[in-house]
Amino acid sequence: MEDSVSNTVLIIAFSMLLAALVLAFARLLKGPSINDRIAAMDLIAAVVMGFVLVYSVMINKSIYFDIPVIISLISFIGTVAVSTYLKHRYG
Amino acid sequence: MNSVILQIAAKYLKWLLIVFAVLALLRGHNNPGGGFIGGLMAGLAIVYRGFAYNAFQVKEELQDRPGYYIGGGLFAIFLSFLPSLFAGKTIMTGLWVKIPTPVGEGIKLGTPFLFDIGVFFAVIGVTLLFVFSLTQKQH
């Protein structure tokens, strides 16, 4: 694997993504209002997309590249669904 | 919810999701993907349109459709059992047929693919059923 990215870069990328995931999850758990939780869920979806991309860089295969597209479309639907629920409940 | 931006976006993003769903369906069995994943994506595409156009309140239009999807999918799964039964093999054995085409290597069709199509439609129906029953107003 001469043409792959070096190990140090991958370790840094994975640890930063992991830190972002942990922070977003903490916000999801303790978020004072439900809007913070919606934003945290969206952020978690974005971090998972980053994980998939870094992993597919690590194993040198492009077969996982359409997973982030699908995750972004579906997480948008989740946000819209929770917003609809909030509007029916409070508005 | 009547948002113009969401309606315009849903009109195009729905087809994008369906294209990815069919891609996952056709790619499955040897690569990541398959009928279940494709069915989830196609079901969410229909749900997406429902959210944009506020279609979950229109009961008479959408109520019977999940049942049709589930029934059609289960019937396709049942049809995929028949060739292995009539060929005298154990039931659910995968049988493949290669259809030659003028260009390329030909198309491989088989009972696992029919099974995947059945799972695809059944999962679409189950997804729609879940979302419809979750968005109904409580009496």
Side-chain angles (χ1 to χ4, degrees):
Chain A
M1 300 235 289
E2 289 91 16
D3 53 348
S4 65
V5 188
S6 76
N7 262 339
T8 321
V9 175
L10 287 174
I11 288 173
I12 293 172
F14 270 126
S15 51
M16 282 184 169
L17 281 171
L18 192 65
L21 188 65
V22 168
L23 289 176
F25 190 69
R27 180 52 72 190
L28 179 70
L29 280 184
K30 99 182 221 286
S33 71
I34 201 161
N35 305 326
D36 298 325
R37 295 198 167 127
I38 297 173
M41 271 169 57
D42 227 9
L43 182 59
I44 285 175
V47 173
V48 168
M49 282 185 250
F51 265 115
V52 173
L53 283 177
V54 175
Y55 179 70
S56 71
V57 167
M58 186 179 89
I59 66 171
N60 254 339
K61 280 187 176 149
S62 65
I63 197 162
Y64 293 128
F65 271 11
D66 43 357
I67 296 177
V69 179
I70 295 162
I71 293 180
S72 62
L73 286 167
I74 287 173
S75 75
F76 179 61
I77 294 177
T79 311
V80 169
V82 180
S83 312
T84 312
Y85 164 72
L86 283 181
K87 191 164 184 193
H88 280 297
R89 190 170 176 194
Y90 296 111
Chain B
M1 191 156 62
N2 279 317
S3 160
V4 179
I5 300 174
L6 189 61
Q7 287 174 3
I8 303 286
K11 202 193 274 179
Y12 298 104
L13 292 181
K14 181 187 73 174
W15 290 109
L16 187 63
L17 259 179
I18 288 180
V19 164
F20 271 107
V22 174
L23 191 72
L25 169 68
L26 296 178
R27 200 175 67 170
H29 212 78
N30 289 327
N31 285 322
F36 190 83
I37 309 293
L40 277 180
M41 287 193 275
L44 281 176
I46 300 173
V47 167
Y48 201 173
R49 190 192 161 282
F51 274 125
Y53 288 94
N54 220 352
F56 294 127
Q57 269 66 40
V58 187
K59 270 187 154 185
E60 59 269 14
E61 185 194 350
L62 289 170
Q63 193 147 45
D64 285 334
R65 273 167 53 188
Y68 291 155
Y69 279 117
I70 295 174
L74 289 180
F75 187 67
I77 291 175
F78 169 70
L79 285 184
S80 80
F81 288 172
L82 294 181
S84 57
L85 198 63
F86 288 134
K89 296 194 170 147
T90 317
I91 199 164
M92 289 174 80
T93 307
L95 300 173
W96 295 91
V97 168
K98 202 164 208 174
I99 298 173
T101 46
V103 260
E105 298 177 351
I107 306 168
K108 264 177 81 178
L109 285 180
T111 53
F113 183 60
L114 191 59
F115 187 85
D116 262 353
I117 291 178
V119 173
F120 182 82
F121 283 104
V123 171
I124 288 179
V126 170
T127 311
L128 291 182
L129 197 64
F130 283 169
V131 177
F132 289 162
S133 44
L134 282 177
T135 50
Q136 294 293 317
K137 284 230 169 85
Q138 305 272 329
H139 304 298

